[in-house]
Amino acid sequence: MKKQYFVQYSDDSTINYFAIPKDIFTFIDIGIRDIGTDFISTLVQNMFSFPIFFVLESDIFENGKSVISERNIPAYKFSSDGFIIKINSVDTLEAICDISVDLALNGISVFIFYGEGLYEEDLVPSRQWNKPVEFKNLDFQKVETFIDVSEIGLILSSKNNKFNSPRKVSHFISAAYSLDVENSDM
């Protein structure tokens, strides 16, 4: 049996979790139980071309550090345990998706950025317990799509008309998964 996912417009609490321009992005929730590497890597490959940027706020797992080191994946270290990785190949994408899923399933968000003129140093997140996540150095005019990966799915924020509704987003998800139509905004 295929794993089911749902796609809905995001509610205000989800949207307000980030300090990003609300008027230029459409926010969509993609929920899935037991998120997997193939779910994320297929979605990203279907939606974007390279380069794609992954922001890993933590490297709590030695396995993640080992993969980055052993494969000589260039990574911009922005804190004692955070990395920003510019992805330029499918192999690197799949390796980083593996790390991302491990982090997400352990409650640590991973951010994915796609756009023109993005640089690693601009994608450093700032968190304070009582404020939204902020990317202080980022010009959001350069961002086409921003994805927050968590243990329960994804929040997709995009300016691209190809992804501006739950129905459109569902076309980019692998056929290995089935849409829960009852719980989706279709």
Side-chain angles (χ1 to χ4, degrees):
M1 186 169 163
K2 294 181 180 182
K3 289 183 187 178
Q4 283 196 320
Y5 68 93
F6 68 84
V7 185
Q8 302 173 340
Y9 287 105
S10 297
D11 63 30
D12 286 341
S13 64
T14 302
I15 294 169
N16 292 331
Y17 184 69
F18 300 100
I20 63 176
K22 314 294 191 255
D23 56 334
I24 60 174
F25 289 94
T26 300
F27 297 85
I28 308 240
D29 289 328
I30 303 170
I32 184 166
R33 185 171 299 188
D34 300 324
I35 195 165
T37 300
D38 64 322
F39 185 82
I40 297 171
S41 65
T42 302
L43 179 72
V44 168
Q45 286 180 65
N46 288 342
M47 293 176 89
F48 312 126
S49 59
F50 295 115
I52 304 159
F53 294 86
F54 275 63
V55 179
L56 312 176
E57 287 192 282
S58 179
D59 66 357
I60 60 170
F61 303 110
E62 285 300 315
N63 180 42
K65 279 193 246 185
S66 297
V67 168
I68 291 168
S69 175
E70 289 169 11
R71 292 180 178 229
N72 293 319
I73 297 172
Y76 175 83
K77 194 166 179 84
F78 66 86
S79 67
S80 62
D81 59 354
F83 290 100
I84 299 172
I85 300 164
K86 183 178 181 179
I87 310 283
N88 284 308
S89 71
V90 172
D91 290 342
T92 304
L93 175 64
E94 289 174 359
I96 299 305
C97 283
D98 280 342
I99 296 168
S100 299
V101 167
D102 284 346
L103 292 172
L105 291 176
N106 282 281
I108 299 168
S109 286
V110 172
F111 306 116
I112 303 169
F113 286 91
Y114 179 73
E116 294 291 324
L118 299 177
Y119 298 98
E120 290 91 334
E121 55 273 4
D122 297 336
L123 304 176
V124 175
S126 172
R127 279 191 192 263
Q128 295 182 21
W129 72 271
N130 60 346
K131 294 185 179 178
V133 176
E134 196 171 8
F135 298 89
K136 293 180 181 181
N137 299 326
L138 183 59
D139 176 359
F140 273 95
Q141 294 301 320
K142 296 179 180 180
V143 176
E144 177 196 284
T145 303
F146 164 71
I147 300 174
D148 174 30
V149 181
S150 69
E151 61 192 316
I152 57 170
L154 314 169
I155 300 168
L156 177 97
S157 310
S158 186
K159 295 188 261 186
N160 191 321
N161 287 335
K162 292 192 274 184
F163 322 129
N164 68 351
S165 76
R167 182 175 306 282
K168 291 177 183 178
V169 168
S170 65
H171 296 293
F172 295 93
I173 296 173
S174 168
Y177 295 85
S178 66
L179 177 64
D180 177 355
V181 178
E182 274 186 39
N183 292 305
S184 295
D185 292 337
M186 292 292 163

